[in-house]
Amino acid sequence: MKEEFDTVDRLVTEWKLERPDLDVDAMQVVGRIIKLGKVLEKRASSVLKDSDIHYTDLDVLATIRRSGKPYQLAPKQIMDSVLLTSGAMTALLDRLTKLELIYRAADNKDGRVKLAGLTEKGMQVIDKAIKIRFKEADLSVNVLSENERLALSDLLRKLLISIG
């Protein structure tokens, strides 16, 4: 079996030559996680282009969809689930409103808060897009056995909890 090398292997080799005093073990893991994150996000965005939504749109719409009936959340609740600043969140919610994928309504408990809720169109778009997204995610890890997927998931969870 031919041994394969990736970008991180090349970087590690270069650092070992230039700075043999550095311990590269942790960077092999972190570098691959960073690289994988970028590749996976690019793949997700690519498969969503026919859905007329962006990856960040999917993230917000999916967060509202997962919340259950009445499919409404405050912006703060959405932000707890996605990686956006409050300014970016406001712009995104405004855009999704213009696309008629969500509506904005005052919260009965606190009129200062404008909830974001899924429209019927938004529900159809997210239900279609999430199937595409899940299929792409499955294709992304199909090189791994079920046991490898579970082990990797456990290790990544442990790492995320410890640092995040």
Side-chain angles (χ1 to χ4, degrees):
M1 181 172 131
K2 181 182 146 198
E3 192 170 347
E4 295 184 43
F5 296 93
D6 64 9
T7 304
V8 175
D9 290 321
R10 182 178 52 80
L11 299 175
V12 165
T13 300
E14 291 169 356
W15 277 119
K16 283 182 178 180
L17 288 171
E18 290 299 314
R19 291 285 309 273
D21 59 305
L22 294 175
D23 181 356
V24 297
D25 290 348
M27 279 306 294
Q28 291 186 75
V29 174
V30 172
R32 285 186 175 96
I33 291 171
I34 290 170
K35 179 81 172 165
L36 269 172
K38 290 176 182 178
V39 169
L40 292 171
E41 188 169 336
K42 186 175 181 180
R43 285 176 59 126
S45 294
S46 178
V47 298
L48 290 172
K49 69 180 176 218
D50 292 337
S51 301
D52 294 326
I53 62 172
H54 304 284
Y55 184 73
T56 52
D57 301 346
L58 176 117
D59 211 4
V60 168
L61 295 172
T63 298
I64 298 169
R65 178 67 169 98
R66 285 192 318 268
S67 73
K69 288 184 179 178
Y71 307 111
Q72 289 182 327
L73 291 173
K76 171 76 173 103
Q77 292 172 295
I78 298 169
M79 284 182 59
D80 289 344
S81 181
V82 299
L83 301 173
L84 294 173
T85 64
S86 61
M89 176 62 68
T90 300
L92 180 54
L93 293 177
D94 287 347
R95 194 167 68 71
L96 293 174
T97 301
K98 286 179 184 153
L99 292 172
E100 300 178 348
L101 299 176
I102 65 167
Y103 62 87
R104 304 298 302 274
D107 186 347
N108 292 335
K109 298 173 190 160
D110 185 350
R112 298 170 296 174
V113 175
K114 288 197 84 163
L115 299 173
L118 282 179
T119 63
E120 185 60 38
K121 179 180 176 184
M123 182 73 78
Q124 291 172 4
V125 167
I126 188 56
D127 282 351
K128 178 182 173 195
I130 205 66
K131 277 184 171 180
I132 294 166
R133 176 68 184 105
F134 272 61
K135 182 175 178 158
E136 190 284 321
D138 188 57
L139 290 171
S140 295
V141 296
N142 70 359
V143 68
L144 303 174
S145 71
E146 184 178 348
N147 286 341
E148 288 171 326
R149 288 181 190 197
L150 293 172
L152 181 57
S153 178
D154 288 343
L155 291 170
L156 292 171
R157 179 186 309 106
K158 180 179 182 178
L159 187 59
L160 274 171
I161 289 169
S162 76
I163 65 174

